[in-house]
Amino acid sequence: MNDTQAIDYLDCRVDAAQSMQHSRYSTVEQWSQPMESAFLSPGQGDVEGRAGRSLYESDFYRWIQHTSTALKAKDFDQVDWDNLIEEIESMGRGERKELKSRLIVLIEHLLKLLYWDAEKVWSGRGWRSTVIEQRRQIQLTLEDSPSLRSALLEMCPDAYQQAREDVLLKSQLSEAAIPSEPPYAFSDLLNPRYLPGQSQPED
């Protein structure tokens, strides 16, 4: 990751932190503190007296501002590299976790459309809507991070088993009702033309 990408990432975290500002600050006085204190090194200024905690631990929003400003100014001595690396790695893990979660939901609803006939008459429309939306969100994630396409393939076997277990529990169908291996091709997962229970348009 280069400097510009790191700055963009931190700017996104600033936006996220701002949306949580009321939960992180309990008084107006805390917001009125001089912003210069955001650029103090851990152990200085308002960080003192907080059980020796670093700025990252004691005030995450200010840590983001401090790190972003230091990177933009190329003042690398002021960058908290250890915690910055941890945040970036955490972002990568979060992307994978969200992708797998969406994949499980997608497969679950495909299986419901394929095998839960008793409920499909009442819930089929909602299931199809969920399939469409999860496909859209997965595609958006892959457009932003194309390298996750290989991860998607790796996730599929476990995601299928988790989705299958969820459908069996919710439907109370027998184990034999849903195959232990996917009844569709991998290419069908994100294929908008593949929608069980709906006639497929001809080419």
Side-chain angles (χ1 to χ4, degrees):
M1 175 176 286
N2 59 37
D3 296 346
T4 301
Q5 290 171 320
I7 292 168
D8 289 343
Y9 164 70
L10 286 168
D11 285 342
C12 290
R13 295 305 304 264
V14 168
D15 291 340
Q18 285 175 327
S19 69
M20 299 173 65
Q21 61 189 15
H22 294 300
S23 64
R24 290 189 178 274
Y25 294 92
S26 58
T27 65
V28 174
E29 287 77 20
Q30 286 175 298
W31 277 103
S32 65
Q33 292 175 2
M35 286 308 299
E36 296 86 86
S37 61
F39 308 109
L40 295 174
S41 299
Q44 292 182 303
D46 65 342
V47 180
E48 290 181 352
R50 297 187 183 185
R53 292 185 300 164
S54 68
L55 184 60
Y56 176 81
E57 297 171 309
S58 64
D59 196 330
F60 183 67
Y61 175 65
R62 291 193 176 199
W63 176 85
I64 292 174
Q65 290 185 310
H66 165 68
T67 305
S68 179
T69 299
L71 286 170
K72 289 174 181 176
K74 299 188 182 301
D75 189 2
F76 300 131
D77 289 340
Q78 292 297 314
V79 175
D80 177 5
W81 290 107
D82 288 343
N83 284 316
L84 177 58
I85 291 169
E86 182 179 332
E87 282 294 314
I88 292 171
E89 290 177 342
S90 175
M91 179 180 66
R93 290 191 296 269
E95 286 280 291
R96 286 180 62 95
K97 183 177 180 180
E98 180 182 355
L99 181 61
K100 186 171 183 179
S101 176
R102 292 192 179 280
L103 183 61
I104 292 170
V105 174
L106 169 60
I107 295 172
E108 175 190 337
H109 285 78
L110 287 174
L111 293 178
K112 286 178 178 178
L113 287 167
L114 282 165
Y115 300 109
W116 198 357
D117 294 332
E119 184 67 20
K120 184 162 58 178
V121 65
W122 307 107
S123 304
R125 180 178 296 179
W127 295 343
R128 286 189 289 272
S129 295
T130 298
V131 167
I132 292 168
E133 178 60 20
Q134 294 306 313
R135 280 175 170 158
R136 176 182 295 114
Q137 294 302 321
I138 289 172
Q139 290 285 19
L140 289 172
T141 297
L142 295 178
E143 287 174 10
D144 282 344
S145 303
S147 62
L148 284 175
R149 288 188 181 277
S150 59
L152 184 70
L153 181 59
E154 295 171 6
M155 294 172 185
C156 278
D158 186 61
Y160 179 79
Q161 296 305 322
Q162 291 192 48
R164 178 177 179 270
E165 287 298 320
D166 288 348
V167 176
L168 289 172
L169 286 171
K170 294 174 183 179
S171 67
Q172 295 297 294
L173 293 169
S174 68
E175 285 276 343
I178 302 177
S180 58
E181 296 296 327
Y184 48 78
F186 173 73
S187 58
D188 286 332
L189 270 178
L190 300 183
N191 180 4
R193 295 161 64 89
Y194 177 69
L195 204 56
Q198 178 171 298
S199 58
Q200 306 299 310
E202 298 181 357
D203 291 327

